[in-house]
Structure formats: C-alpha cells, structure tokens
Amino acid sequence: MPNVISPDGSIRQDNWVVVPRPAEGESLDIPADQPALIPADLWLAGYEHFTGRQEIGVWFDSHDEPEILDGRVNELPVIAVNFPKFSDGRGYSIGRLLRERFGYKNELRAIGDVLLDQLQFMKRCGFDAYVLRADKDINKAARCLNFFSQGYQAATDTEIPLFRRRAS
Amino acid sequence: MYVYDEHDRQMAAERVAQFRDQTERALAGELAEDEFLPLRLQNGLYVQRLAPMLRICVPYGMMRSDQLRRLARITRDYDKGYAHFTTRQNVQLNWPALEDVPDILAELAEVEMHANQTSGNCIRNTTTDQFSGVQSDEIADPRPYCEIIRQWSTFHPEFAFLPRKFKVAVNASEQTDRAAIQVHDIGLQMVRNEAGDLGFRVHVGGGLGRTPMVGPVIRDFLPELDLLTYLEAVLRVYNRYGRRDNKFKARIKILVKALTPEGFAEKVEAEWQHIKESPTRLTPEAIQRIQGYFTEPDYAAIDNATDLLASQRFENRGFDQWLTHNVDTHKKAGYAIVSLTMKKTGTPPGDVSDKQLEQIADLADEFSFGEIRVTHQQNVVLADVRQDRLFELWQAITPMGFGTANLNTLTDVICCPGGDYCALANAKSIPVAEAIQRQFDDLDYLYDLGNIDLNISGCMNACGHHHVGNIGVLGVDKKGQEFYQISLGGSSHHDASIGKILGPSFARDEMPKVISKIIDVYVDKRTEEETFLDTYRRVGIDPFKERVYA
C-alpha cells in the first residue's frame, strides 16, 4: 500500500493501484478488490462502463494531453500524473491545466519519480497527494513542501501574484 | 536600481536555507548525483575541470558598489582572489569549494544578490542593454520590465524543469541592439504602436549553440500589460511540446522551426487566450511601482563641458583616443557614459581581481552614483559620469588597466573561459584572444579598422557568441588536438546574422597570421565608409577564402 503525502506533509496510506497501459492486444488488468487508476484515454474509451465509479480513477503520462478530459474531470475521484523522470517538467503544466482550466476539484496525485525537492513545485501546481519514491525519506516531506513561505507568481495555490498583493 | 522589500528578502533567505539543506543531503549521500545536479545548477554551481564553478547572477547587469565589495571579499575568502565577467552579464567564481557554497550564497543574500537560475534547464537571467536609462534613443527604460520578468521567472513552479535552458533579453534602443536579442530564446524589442502605446515586438527561437538561428518575430506588438501572460503562454507551449528526447534538439528554436514560426505563434495565441485576462496580467500600478526603482539619479544641472574636453583632448592624445572610443553620449547634458574595458592584453577577457573589484566599486562611488553595469561584451560601464570629471577618471583608471581605448575594436574580444577552466570546452580560447591582441597592438591601426566584433568560443555551446562575431572563432577537437574554425559575417545587432564558416580549421599558432590575412582582405577591398561587416556583405566570403587558403 502506498504512503501518500498530503500538502501539509502528513502521511496516510491508501490502496489505489496504478494500472499500467496494457500491451497491444491485451486488455486492462483491473484488480477486483482495490481502487484503480487507469490510463486516461482508456477511461474515456470505456466511458459508459467506468463513469461514476468511485473506485476508478485515471492517470496521465507526461506526454499526454489533459485536454481529452475537458468537461468530465469532476466525474473522477482521483487523477494521477506520472513523472517518468523527476527532471521531466511537463507534469507541472498538466497539473495547472487540470485545476485552473478544466476546474478539477478532486484529488490530484503525483506518481512516478517523485522526489523531495520537487514537492513544493507540485503543490503550487495543484497536486494535493504525492507518492514519494520509496527510497526517499518520507519524514522530510513536510519540510520540503514548505521551503518557501510564498511565491512571486500566481499558480494554482495562489491566484494573486505578488505584484498585486504588494499593491493592496 | 531595484531594492529588495521584505518579500524579496524573505524568499532569498528561504532559498539559501533550502540549498543548505539540499547540499547537506547531497554530502550525506541522500541525493544521488543526478538528483542533486539540477538543484545545484539552479543555484549556479557547476562542477568543472579543476574545481566547482559558481555563477552569480547580476540581474540585467546592474550592480551597486556595496555588492562589488562583497564580491571582492567573497573571492578572497572563498576563492583565489579573482572573478570573471561572463557574456550574459553575470559573474563567475572559478574555485569555490562545494561545501562553502551555502555560506557564499548567504553572504550574497545579505547584499541582495543570489545565484538563482544562472544555470540549469530553467529561465535564466534576463539581460539587456548596458546603456539602458542613459541613452537618448530608447523607447523606454527596459530595466523595470527586466525586473518584472526576473520576479515572475524566479522559482516559477511550472517552469523549473524545462526541456533545456531558456534565455530572455530585452532591448529598447531603436538604432542599436546591444543585448543581442535576436539570438535569445525570447527577444523583446520595445516598440510603440501607432496609437503611441508601449509594447514589445516578440522574437522567439533565436539562439547560438549547435544550431544557430536568428529568432523570427511571432508577434509584432504585445501591449506592455500583457507581457507576463504572453511569456507564460510561450513557456507553457515550450514546456509541453519542446523535445526532451535529444538534448541537442531541446531548445525552443527547434520547436519553432518544426512548427514553423506561424504554427508556433498560433499555438501560443491559443494558449494565451485562456490566460490573458488572469491576475497575472500586469497593472499600470505594478509597472509604475517597479519603475519607481529606476528613477534618474540626482543629476546636477550642468552644461556640456565641450570646451574643457576639447582642450584636454588637444593636450593629451591618450585621453583623446579614450574619449573617442570608450566614452558614449549621455541623454543628460554635462554627463557621459564610460566603458571600462576589461581587455588588457595578457589578462583573460572579463577577468578581474578582488582589488580591481574594489577599485571599480570606489570608481562607481566617486564618479557614477555608486552603480555599475556589466556588459555582455565582458566590460563594465559607469553610466553617469560628469564630463568635467572625465579627465580625472581617465587618469585614475589607466594604471588600473581599465583604460585600454579599444572598445568595440578587434581586440575588444568576447571570449569564454575555454579549455583553461571549462569542462565542456574542446579547446582553449584565452590564449587565442591573447595572441590576437598581441598581433594587433597598434591602436592607430585598430582605429583605422573600425568596429569589428571578434568572438571566441572554446566549444559548440557558444558562450563566446562566435556565430554572431563579425569574425567568429570556434575551438574544435581533432583527434585530441586543439583546432580553430573561423566564421565570418555574423552580427548580434538589429541586422542580426549567423556567420558563415570560412573553411578547414587552423592550429592555434596559425591564428594570429590567419586573422591578419582576413583583415588584409578587408583593408584591400573596403570603400572609405565601410565597416568590416559592410565589406564582407558586399564582397562575400570568397576573397577571404582565397587569401587565407592560398
């Protein structure tokens, strides 16, 4: 069961599994007794079957286009974004688009190569659940989520950039 | 000049604490080398051939005297007593110890300096014209906009892991481009539209390196209030669609070329429509607030010192030459812009000792309201010098080595640190610069040759901007031997162009002779008014080829 970090640094466990993209010709291997995150395009392809199910969420890979879920994001209890390598920054844009453009309200989870020093960026881009890579010290997450007390820019966490806050 | 408020100070302190924590974890083995790499790069720290190298940010080239003095102290306490001015208006230390870097950053933060985002795949220091605010032909002072971009790009959560590095430059002069904006990832030219409103012409996808390109215009007029939302749209398109599979094809220029400038512009416009009315849209008050930091200093109401200067020139030829070449016209009567050249033959271009940093600080306090600007040509500018004190200044700087009257001439070489220091270099660049400076040591001959940009890079990464030198020199490695490839006809100005390769490369000891032959062709072929570049553009590369390879 993965340890999941919340934006305040607290740690909880849940049993969401990430179902990998099936090979060509294979079908999705969804576990019977656990909530599952499936590739977002496959959720859409099986929309009639999956919609409204609270134990089915989706995941995007970093090169995927979150635009495919425009208008339907809030039908999902969990959306995860995979960071295949921590230095792949596309997931930050995906996070902001899901939250700020498509109005996604439920859990946004960072999965993959999730390390301590990127957590605060993820938080600012709308992620509110982080599955830290297993070899990293989860007890340091709270500190790393809060290195900075504020930012210059608007992002998902702060709609108002510093230049407007200074003016008021 | 911009002064930190409590928000800036707080974030600067938090950044130092963060990097201290990261360094401790790296030294304790909790961060793998590849995990620490982007963190240290985004704090300016490279691991180099001989030692780490720390690149300290000088936002758009502006520094105060107290900051120079602190830099001098840092070079003494943590390094070998000298620093290097870079081709992006920053400062580098060549020998700091890794474990000292958090302390160095803390010392910098005390004087409102940092090394944020001076390296790594993120938005780098925004650069501009070193004559900003003091020249008469600019549309508006570009520095407040550079500061606005600095704040927006600092620790931007979405754009900290871009496909590759990202450089923005702003220019405001109508006649001259001293910021080389067309060879930047984003080049912003300040303009006014027909209604007289202030804005920017936006170039995207210029750059040097392996695939040099002049950045095409993707928007003719961007209103000033829309600056940040539009930049955010450009960066988002690049972050999402820029190539990440091949480091050498990851710069935005490759994306712009693949989509075509029109296709790229359309994608940016589509993204921008969603965010242009967001709170990131600038307000007139926000711009005015930053402009308030860049007001005119307390100029005296004086006239031009024309007669005085004329008699001083008449009596002293050295002063006359220096005034002609290293001093520029100021917008204010009675004042002048002085360039201190860091190009004394025998000293690597851009290198300064701790003592010299302190001398420059003293000169700034004594002659120029305590401020200096670093130029991308690796010189230093005192922007506000009284004309009636120029002679005194010239006498002071000559023994310091800052008075070489070769600004913009062949020996005012732009040169990267090269193989003497840099782990990436294929060849040394500093000895080539020096050999050419020795070959052309006759100032009268240099003046007769006029403005010639000679730019030298030790490798394809092009830190010495060789592609846009009128004469460019690139160090290459041939089976373990250092060779040098020459290109001609580059320009980083409004008429930006990428130089053309002359032909097979040369050994280092041949270089002064080869440059001489190139210069001889120019002298033979030029008409009275032509610069080197004019002649090259008229006659083409063949006459140069014929002479050099004869």
Side-chain angles (χ1 to χ4, degrees):
Chain A
M1 285 211 287
N3 285 308
V4 181
I5 304 164
S6 298
D8 65 357
S10 61
I11 300 159
R12 63 190 159 88
Q13 290 197 315
D14 68 20
N15 55 356
W16 282 92
V17 279
V18 179
V19 178
R21 177 173 295 282
E24 197 68 32
E26 307 273 310
S27 58
L28 270 174
D29 186 16
I30 300 177
D33 52 350
Q34 271 180 289
L37 299 166
I38 64 175
D41 56 317
L42 298 182
W43 179 84
L44 204 61
Y47 181 71
E48 302 298 320
H49 181 60
F50 292 124
T51 185
R53 284 171 61 178
Q54 284 308 297
E55 81 288 10
I56 300 288
V58 303
W59 65 277
F60 284 107
D61 212 342
S62 64
H63 58 266
D64 290 336
E65 307 249 322
E67 282 83 353
I68 62 169
L69 291 190
D70 188 7
R72 290 180 172 159
V73 287
N74 285 316
E75 297 171 29
L76 288 153
V78 177
I79 297 179
V81 176
N82 183 41
F83 290 79
K85 181 85 190 108
F86 76 91
S87 53
D88 181 342
R90 288 176 284 192
Y92 301 110
S93 290
I94 296 175
R96 288 194 70 183
L97 289 172
L98 286 168
R99 291 288 193 207
E100 296 171 44
R101 186 149 315 155
F102 309 132
Y104 178 57
K105 298 276 192 298
N106 303 323
E107 181 183 302
L108 184 59
R109 175 177 293 219
I111 59 172
D113 199 24
V114 177
L115 310 183
L116 290 164
D117 293 289
Q118 287 72 45
L119 290 176
Q120 192 160 15
F121 290 136
M122 291 172 179
K123 181 164 87 170
R124 294 214 59 207
C125 290
F127 291 88
D128 58 358
Y130 323 93
V131 181
L132 194 69
R133 205 175 73 191
D135 61 320
K136 294 295 170 191
D137 184 354
I138 201 164
N139 297 307
K140 292 189 172 163
R143 176 171 166 72
C144 293
L145 276 159
N146 290 294
F147 276 128
F148 293 95
S149 52
Q150 63 172 331
Y152 283 107
Q153 323 72 6
T156 308
D157 63 335
T158 328
E159 204 197 4
I160 307 300
L162 181 58
F163 68 79
R164 286 182 188 260
R165 301 201 300 276
R166 273 172 170 148
S168 60
Chain B
M1 192 171 146
Y2 187 70
V3 179
Y4 281 14
D5 70 0
E6 71 272 17
H7 302 284
D8 301 293
R9 271 194 295 278
Q10 182 185 38
M11 280 185 270
E14 288 165 349
R15 176 68 158 189
V16 173
Q18 180 193 39
F19 190 63
R20 199 178 288 284
D21 184 274
Q22 290 167 339
T23 304
E24 282 165 10
R25 278 184 281 128
L27 292 171
E30 291 175 43
L31 273 169
E33 221 172 280
D34 73 312
E35 294 165 7
F36 185 50
L37 176 89
L39 307 179
R40 65 170 166 77
L41 289 178
Q42 298 207 15
N43 283 279
L45 184 62
Y46 283 78
V47 175
Q48 285 288 29
R49 183 159 288 184
L50 302 166
M53 181 274 277
L54 182 67
R55 185 180 292 148
I56 297 165
C57 188
V58 183
Y60 36 93
M62 295 285 299
M63 250 193 292
R64 296 190 308 260
S65 55
D66 63 309
Q67 296 174 320
L68 281 162
R69 290 193 183 94
R70 179 58 60 93
L71 275 180
R73 197 177 93 187
I74 289 171
T75 67
R76 259 197 304 277
D77 293 352
Y78 298 95
D79 207 293
K80 295 190 174 181
Y82 68 93
H84 174 80
F85 290 117
T86 80
T87 54
R88 295 205 75 256
Q89 300 184 301
N90 288 323
V91 176
Q92 285 176 190
L93 304 184
N94 282 316
W95 315 85
L98 170 64
E99 57 274 19
D100 287 339
V101 172
D103 292 336
I104 297 175
L105 296 181
E107 292 222 15
L108 290 171
E110 284 176 7
V111 291
E112 306 182 357
M113 292 186 81
H114 59 78
N116 298 329
Q117 295 171 211
T118 53
S119 182
N121 296 333
C122 53
I123 304 169
R124 304 285 189 88
N125 185 20
T126 298
T127 53
T128 191
D129 184 341
Q130 64 267 24
F131 291 173
S132 295
V134 290
Q135 58 192 335
S136 46
D137 80 324
E138 67 188 9
I139 303 277
D141 189 339
R143 294 171 301 168
Y145 301 92
C146 293
E147 175 58 25
I148 286 167
I149 296 169
R150 181 192 77 81
Q151 296 191 15
W152 164 79
S153 61
T154 296
F155 316 142
H156 198 301
E158 188 179 344
F159 305 131
F161 293 93
L162 296 168
R164 199 75 176 84
K165 59 187 168 184
F166 202 93
K167 301 173 179 180
V168 183
V170 188
N171 189 56
S173 162
E174 291 178 287
Q175 273 110 54
T176 319
D177 177 6
R178 290 185 201 86
I181 63 163
Q182 294 182 60
V183 288
H184 279 74
D185 295 285
I186 295 182
L188 298 167
Q189 172 65 43
M190 299 200 77
V191 285
R192 280 191 193 278
N193 66 6
E194 280 168 16
D197 303 326
L198 199 59
F200 302 90
R201 185 171 68 236
V202 184
H203 296 258
V204 178
L208 301 174
R210 226 159 259 267
T211 320
M213 277 183 215
V214 172
V217 175
I218 66 153
R219 195 165 225 287
D220 288 317
F221 186 79
L222 177 71
E224 56 168 344
L225 297 183
D226 296 317
L227 176 63
L228 295 184
T229 52
Y230 195 80
L231 290 181
E232 191 136 319
V234 172
L235 264 296
R236 183 170 286 165
V237 169
Y238 173 53
N239 189 42
R240 295 184 69 192
Y241 301 109
R243 283 182 64 172
R244 291 173 185 266
D245 59 327
N246 180 342
K247 188 181 163 188
F248 301 123
K249 297 194 186 302
R251 294 288 290 270
I252 196 172
K253 61 193 170 190
I254 305 292
L255 178 66
V256 172
K257 193 169 177 222
L259 296 174
T260 73
E262 298 72 31
F264 179 82
E266 262 172 48
K267 250 182 146 53
V268 170
E269 289 291 320
E271 176 59 40
W272 187 44
Q273 290 312 312
H274 291 288
I275 57 175
K276 66 185 288 199
E277 302 302 331
S278 74
T280 294
R281 185 165 200 261
L282 286 165
T283 61
E285 297 72 34
I287 294 174
Q288 279 156 19
R289 180 179 169 278
I290 301 289
Q291 281 169 336
Y293 289 105
F294 297 90
T295 50
E296 286 189 356
D298 197 8
Y299 291 124
I302 46 175
D303 291 327
N304 284 328
T306 316
D307 294 344
L308 175 68
L309 289 174
S311 71
Q312 288 168 332
R313 297 179 92 133
F314 184 74
E315 284 159 23
N316 198 311
R317 185 150 178 276
F319 178 67
D320 179 46
Q321 289 174 333
W322 178 76
L323 206 59
T324 305
H325 293 277
N326 292 19
V327 179
D328 280 86
T329 309
H330 198 287
K331 68 176 184 186
K332 245 345 188 222
Y335 284 83
I337 308 169
V338 173
S339 295
L340 307 178
T341 46
M342 305 287 132
K343 305 290 173 68
K344 196 178 159 70
T345 302
T347 308
D351 271 16
V352 273
S353 68
D354 57 332
K355 295 254 158 26
Q356 288 179 315
L357 285 167
E358 284 163 346
Q359 286 171 335
I360 296 169
D362 292 344
L363 293 170
D365 283 340
E366 180 63 29
F367 292 97
S368 197
F369 299 98
E371 289 180 1
I372 63 130
R373 295 112 184 266
V374 183
T375 81
H376 88 267
Q377 295 90 349
Q378 304 172 286
N379 294 316
V380 168
V381 166
L382 297 176
D384 297 297
V385 180
R386 278 178 70 128
Q387 292 175 2
D388 56 11
R389 299 193 66 196
L390 284 168
F391 189 74
E392 190 189 339
L393 172 62
W394 175 75
Q395 287 180 312
I397 63 173
T398 303
M400 297 173 185
F402 306 141
T404 311
N406 64 345
L407 193 74
N408 300 327
T409 68
L410 183 66
T411 58
D412 184 14
V413 184
I414 295 184
C415 181
C416 74
D420 289 297
Y421 300 101
C422 177
L424 303 170
N426 291 324
K428 293 186 179 180
S429 48
I430 293 167
V432 178
E434 187 179 336
I436 295 168
Q437 285 171 331
R438 290 197 189 286
Q439 174 93 7
F440 293 89
D441 61 348
D442 177 353
L443 278 177
D444 285 320
Y445 186 52
L446 285 176
Y447 300 152
D448 176 59
L449 297 175
N451 287 1
I452 302 180
D453 294 343
L454 171 63
N455 298 359
I456 306 176
S457 304
C459 76
M460 261 306 178
N461 289 302
C463 295
H465 300 184
H466 64 276
H467 300 108
V468 289
N470 303 159
I471 302 174
V473 176
L474 167 66
V476 292
D477 177 286
K478 275 192 187 170
K479 298 179 185 144
Q481 298 284 317
E482 292 178 337
F483 276 83
Y484 298 89
Q485 186 183 69
I486 291 178
S487 54
L488 298 180
S491 165
S492 65
H493 302 281
H494 276 317
D495 60 349
S497 59
I498 304 295
K500 237 168 120 172
I501 294 170
L502 185 64
S505 53
F506 301 96
R508 194 197 300 163
D509 57 2
E510 299 177 273
M511 286 301 289
K513 196 178 68 208
V514 173
I515 300 294
S516 289
K517 286 182 183 170
I518 290 168
I519 295 300
D520 288 346
V521 174
Y522 160 58
V523 171
D524 288 353
K525 302 274 179 195
R526 68 179 167 184
T527 63
E528 205 161 321
E529 294 298 313
E530 275 182 343
T531 64
F532 179 87
L533 190 60
D534 294 334
T535 303
Y536 170 83
R537 285 181 172 166
R538 181 172 55 80
V539 305
I541 202 164
D542 290 339
F544 294 93
K545 259 189 192 159
E546 284 158 20
R547 181 81 58 101
V548 169
Y549 295 103

